[in-house]
Amino acid sequence: MKYIDEYRDAEAAKQYSDLIHSITTSPWAIMEVCGGQTHAIVKYGIDELLPKGVTLLHGPGCPVCVTPVELIDKALEIASRPSVIFCSFGDMLRVPGTKGDLFSVKAKGGDIRIVYSPLDTLKIARENPSKDVVFFAVGFETTAPASAMTVHQASKMDINNFSILVSHVLVPPALEAILSSHNNNVKGFLAAGHVCTIMGYTEYEPIVKKYHVPIVVTGFEPIDILQGVYMCVKQLEKGKAEVENQYSRSVRRTGNQEAQNIIREVFEITPRKWRGIGEISASGLGLKEEYASFDAEKRFGIAEYNCEESSECISGLILKGVKKPHECEAFGSRCTPEHPLGATMVSSEGACAAYYRYRNISFEK
Amino acid sequence: MRDIKDFNLSCPISIQEYPHILLAHGGGGKLMHSLIDKMFMPSFSNKMLDSQHDGAIIDLGKVKAAFTTDSYVVYPLFFPGGDIGKLAINGTVNDLAMCGARPLYISLGFILEEGFPMETLWRIVKSVEQAAEAAQINIVTGDTKVVDKGKGDGMYINTSGIGIIEHNIEVSPAKVAQGDLVLLSGDIGRHGITIMSTREELALESEIKSDTSPLSDLVMEILEQGIEVHCMRDLTRGGLGSALIEIAGTSGTHIHINENAIPVSREVQATCEILGLDPLYVANEGRFIAFVKPADAEAALKIMQSTNPGASLIGSVETSPSGVVTMKSTIGTNRIIDMLSGEQLPRIC
């Protein structure tokens, strides 16, 4: 299949592997930002092809993993109401809150539906005028335009039985939080190609200057990632710190203006709590005042909520790249995809779940 | 009277963790296997059940028979390439074929929901009739139940099947041995992707058809040619990946496969890419894997390819680490194939 096969080619993989080996003289820790990249790295065993000194750290770019536990609890509460049809992307259904997950709510009779596009929820709202239809709007800049468009359309079409539970988050503030953290090991980043398809990469230009780290906008196929690592190591070896674009078949410097416009029309930048990391200022999106009537938290009166995370889960250290999943005491024993202690074990993009599923057995413990 | 202490009244699956059945408990993955391993097997254990085959092999003195059962709850009832009736016949026929048996008789139980359209029932009955004729089996007994409106999803079908084993080759996971080669009868993922595309919530446009078909003729031909088949399994829920893991686990072997050798159609691959699914775990209803003696592999593959040119040799059986399936990826690295918890979920992005 075009745009797939050539990026999963063994010969090309070997060429990039050889190139990376030939230029690497020092150890480097590089963080891939996006969970989709983590998934590909672990699924294809890409680190087998890297020199020993080049370590890939798995970053905070999995929306399932960083959605705070209290928001999951809010979702559970809303979804449990008999008047509600709760719509979500598939992999949010298995994320544990403090009192179970959305699958359990479904098992008890909650009307929970998996949607592929947020816009589908408007159709559901129109077909079910006596129900409150709620969309669980999670994800980074990638999914935010579709959420924004859905709210915008609902407003234009006067669909009043629709609201969203928002937990959209932004990549650049998370990168700054990692770089300014006292235990930061990250020397370079592979930025998420699809986030940059929407937002472009001008936002990263001040970051590379301020922290002197290279950032390479990178795609999701094995060859994309190997090429991204090569470009990043090359900069590191030369002492450079620039933004480079490996994913040029999709990303332009200024991104997709229309998508950015719809985000700005509907959302404003807010502080946001990240699961396992804590609150990061100006790191999320919330509905603007003029769209507040579509805010599920306000509509259902559940804005104040506080929950405790499992104290054993080290997902915060994993999301910041300080620890690898198999270095956790609970990994593979008390914490498995069937019984996750934290969200990084839930999503197929979560670093812990990806390790659990794909790593060599001897590596696991 | 038996002392109450003789009974173990505590549920073996911790109710704190799963106080209710989830859909994933029927998804062919780890949760379903935990039900089987912790509840069903210890309660009902016997030699035939313990072999964990697609059906039970029963010794009736002079004849050996295979016996199997299955239930069909597919939604929607009609989909490109088939319907619930055709699926029920083919699924049961295939379970018997996987035991090395020639399918003979089948039972058919309908559970109908009050208000179900008579015309739809008739269409499904006719489809069952055609599928039974194509697979050369007779429906010899049946049952009809109607449940209150809202207590069923239109229609469910339950079947049982009996087949006869007319050769001396023991076909069972326990027979899988080091050196065996693994053959796959065609491209994977068609049924699962067809059902997913047909369901309203994903609204995907595609021309994929379910692969539902009876495998008995093909299997009988392989056995009649004297090919030493050690084990067969049809790839249903959980797909190729789960079937391989089940067999590696039951036989205590290590199965190594090559990703490049696994045929996946362009349509299935494209849909999987869009939804973030792995075709290895997508359901099939007309594909199987066969573990054969290396010397017989070429002949067996030839027979398979006469029915489906996409049939291929995908891997081999090694001894250690036991109970593990590994795969050489398209870029030449190796990874473990692990069983999923339940069904695959479309990813966010």
Side-chain angles (χ1 to χ4, degrees):
Chain A
M1 204 161 88
K2 194 154 167 56
Y3 298 121
I4 296 284
D5 295 341
E6 58 269 48
Y7 292 96
R8 296 180 187 172
D9 176 62
E11 194 49 44
K14 185 164 184 318
Q15 282 173 13
Y16 275 109
S17 167
D18 291 348
L19 273 174
I20 297 166
H21 276 88
S22 72
I23 61 165
T24 307
T25 62
S26 313
W28 302 110
I30 298 171
M31 174 177 279
E32 82 280 358
V33 170
C34 173
Q37 293 166 331
T38 306
H39 188 83
I41 288 164
V42 189
K43 178 173 174 183
Y44 287 94
I46 289 171
D47 44 4
E48 270 180 46
L49 300 173
L50 301 178
K52 271 215 163 67
V54 175
T55 314
L56 292 176
L57 301 173
H58 313 306
C62 163
V64 171
C65 302
V66 300
T67 301
V69 69
E70 47 265 51
L71 212 87
I72 306 290
D73 280 356
K74 286 176 187 175
L76 298 178
E77 193 191 312
I78 295 172
S80 303
R81 299 186 184 200
S83 63
V84 166
I85 299 175
F86 195 85
C87 304
S88 171
F89 294 128
D91 46 3
M92 287 308 291
L93 267 61
R94 226 176 17 225
V95 185
T98 54
K99 300 173 210 112
D101 57 20
L102 285 165
F103 270 129
S104 306
V105 174
K106 186 167 183 276
K108 287 179 204 157
D111 190 346
I112 294 172
R113 304 189 188 181
I114 294 178
V115 290
Y116 182 64
S117 162
L119 287 166
D120 294 343
T121 55
L122 293 185
K123 187 168 168 250
I124 296 172
R126 278 201 306 264
E127 285 167 0
N128 298 275
S130 63
K131 295 274 191 175
D132 263 313
V133 176
V134 182
F135 176 65
F136 199 4
V138 297
F140 286 84
E141 294 94 326
T142 337
T143 51
S147 298
M149 182 55 91
T150 309
V151 172
H152 184 66
Q153 298 261 349
S155 167
K156 247 172 60 182
M157 295 189 288
D158 264 338
I159 300 178
N160 296 318
N161 61 330
F162 170 79
S163 60
I164 65 172
L165 181 60
V166 198
S167 182
H168 282 300
V169 279
L170 304 170
V171 169
L175 298 193
E176 291 217 56
I178 289 165
L179 288 167
S180 47
S181 149
H182 71 280
N183 51 8
N184 170 48
N185 298 328
V186 181
K187 298 288 182 277
F189 286 104
L190 306 184
H194 51 19
V195 168
C196 296
T197 303
I198 305 289
M199 301 305 291
Y201 49 83
T202 53
E203 294 174 288
Y204 300 106
E205 288 164 358
I207 299 176
V208 298
K209 284 206 183 86
K210 184 172 170 191
Y211 297 93
H212 198 76
V213 284
I215 298 181
V216 180
V217 178
T218 304
F220 302 87
E221 295 298 328
I223 303 302
D224 286 323
I225 291 164
L226 283 164
Q227 193 184 7
V229 170
Y230 170 66
M231 290 163 81
C232 197
V233 170
K234 205 165 150 190
Q235 285 201 47
L236 287 164
E237 289 284 344
K238 289 184 178 165
K240 284 187 173 175
E242 293 167 3
V243 182
E244 277 189 285
N245 182 11
Q246 179 279 330
Y247 202 40
S248 57
R249 66 184 185 277
S250 174
V251 176
R252 303 282 167 273
R253 181 171 176 271
T254 50
N256 178 338
Q257 292 294 336
E258 279 185 45
Q260 293 170 31
N261 290 342
I262 192 75
I263 293 177
R264 276 192 290 268
E265 161 66 29
V266 173
F267 292 124
E268 61 190 6
I269 291 174
T270 59
R272 180 71 69 194
K273 194 171 166 188
W274 294 54
R275 189 170 196 165
I277 294 181
E279 185 167 300
I280 305 177
S281 62
S283 70
L285 297 171
L287 284 165
K288 278 183 168 171
E289 193 49 45
E290 53 263 49
Y291 291 98
S293 62
F294 294 99
D295 189 337
E297 293 194 37
K298 291 190 176 126
R299 187 171 294 202
F300 295 94
I302 47 162
E304 290 310 313
Y305 235 78
N306 246 327
C307 317
E308 289 296 314
E309 295 264 6
S310 155
S311 57
E312 201 177 2
C313 178
I314 62 160
S315 63
L317 295 175
I318 286 162
L319 294 173
K320 284 189 276 195
V322 176
K323 288 219 171 188
K324 290 255 184 181
H326 62 280
E327 289 164 5
C328 173
E329 279 296 311
F331 179 81
S333 52
R334 290 179 300 285
C335 183
T336 63
E338 290 73 48
H339 302 291
L341 290 179
T344 42
M345 189 53 103
V346 174
S347 167
S348 60
E349 295 174 19
C352 298
Y355 264 60
Y356 187 85
R357 189 181 304 165
Y358 298 124
R359 292 316 291 245
N360 191 294
I361 277 191
S362 60
F363 215 96
E364 284 185 4
K365 264 283 147 166
Chain B
M1 209 177 83
R2 247 172 115 182
D3 191 328
I4 194 77
K5 274 184 287 187
D6 284 351
F7 294 92
N8 181 3
L9 293 174
S10 68
C11 175
I13 293 179
S14 167
I15 55 163
Q16 266 120 31
E17 283 156 349
Y18 294 110
H20 302 278
I21 286 288
L22 304 183
L23 271 179
H25 282 111
K30 280 187 188 167
L31 290 192
M32 193 185 87
H33 283 86
S34 81
L35 278 187
I36 294 173
D37 295 342
K38 291 182 188 162
M39 271 197 180
F40 305 149
M41 296 300 282
S43 304
F44 310 134
S45 175
N46 59 60
K47 202 177 132 215
M48 287 173 273
L49 187 67
D50 294 350
S51 74
Q52 300 204 27
H53 210 346
D54 275 341
I57 313 274
I58 312 168
D59 211 333
L60 297 170
K62 283 183 188 159
V63 284
K64 256 200 322 186
F67 178 45
T68 189
T69 184
D70 211 336
S71 298
Y72 298 85
V73 297
V74 65
Y75 180 84
L77 298 175
F78 297 87
F79 46 84
D83 58 74
I84 189 171
K86 187 176 175 188
L87 203 62
I89 298 300
N90 290 343
T92 309
V93 162
N94 292 347
D95 280 348
L96 294 171
M98 292 306 112
C99 300
R102 186 158 59 84
L104 290 178
Y105 305 114
I106 202 164
S107 75
L108 195 64
F110 282 114
I111 298 168
L112 305 169
E113 186 184 355
E114 186 184 20
F116 190 73
M118 202 61 84
E119 195 201 327
T120 314
L121 177 60
W122 181 242
R123 276 174 69 195
I124 289 166
V125 167
K126 285 289 144 191
S127 170
V128 167
E129 183 189 14
Q130 278 173 15
E133 208 176 291
Q136 297 163 49
I137 52 140
N138 291 304
I139 295 156
V140 291
T141 182
D143 180 49
T144 310
K145 293 281 187 297
V146 178
V147 296
D148 288 331
K149 179 101 188 150
K151 293 198 172 168
D153 202 3
M155 165 189 285
Y156 301 135
I157 295 178
N158 173 266
T159 60
S160 291
I162 290 184
I164 187 163
I165 296 169
E166 297 163 315
H167 51 79
N168 292 319
I169 305 167
E170 190 188 332
V171 181
S172 146
K175 297 299 286 180
V176 172
Q178 183 188 7
D180 280 359
L181 295 178
V182 187
L183 307 178
L184 168 65
S185 71
D187 65 320
I188 58 169
R190 286 180 183 268
H191 180 72
I193 294 297
T194 303
I195 296 299
M196 247 179 264
S197 311
T198 315
R199 283 184 186 162
E200 193 186 7
E201 57 260 43
L202 290 179
L204 290 168
E205 280 175 32
S206 103
E207 291 179 1
I208 310 169
K209 279 188 185 161
S210 168
D211 59 348
T212 177
S213 53
L215 297 166
S216 42
D217 281 355
L218 178 55
V219 169
M220 289 309 112
E221 198 185 336
I222 291 171
L223 291 168
E224 277 160 17
Q225 297 294 322
I227 283 165
E228 197 175 318
V229 181
H230 291 157
C231 183
M232 292 180 281
R233 177 133 314 176
D234 60 337
L235 312 175
T236 53
R237 276 174 310 182
L240 173 63
S242 303
L244 288 166
I245 296 159
E246 282 170 15
I247 290 173
T250 320
S251 62
T253 57
H254 167 207
I255 303 172
H256 184 66
I257 58 170
N258 183 356
E259 189 171 15
N260 278 329
I262 301 168
V264 182
S265 75
R266 200 176 171 278
E267 299 98 311
V268 168
Q269 195 194 357
T271 313
C272 284
E273 293 295 336
I274 290 169
L275 297 177
L277 305 175
D278 190 336
L280 267 188
Y281 300 99
V282 176
N284 308 266
E285 287 292 342
R287 300 287 183 263
F288 72 105
I289 41 173
F291 292 75
V292 295
K293 202 174 78 169
D296 289 352
E298 202 185 319
L301 190 59
K302 225 175 191 168
I303 300 170
M304 282 185 174
Q305 284 172 339
S306 67
T307 309
N308 186 329
S312 65
L313 166 64
I314 61 163
S316 58
V317 177
E318 289 148 31
T319 44
S320 72
S322 92
V324 171
V325 180
T326 54
M327 181 168 85
K328 185 178 177 191
S329 77
T330 52
I331 64 163
T333 51
N334 288 297
R335 67 157 159 125
I336 300 258
I337 304 292
D338 191 31
M339 196 170 274
L340 300 183
S341 300
E343 281 177 59
Q344 288 192 95
L345 302 172
R347 274 162 48 193
I348 289 180
C349 54

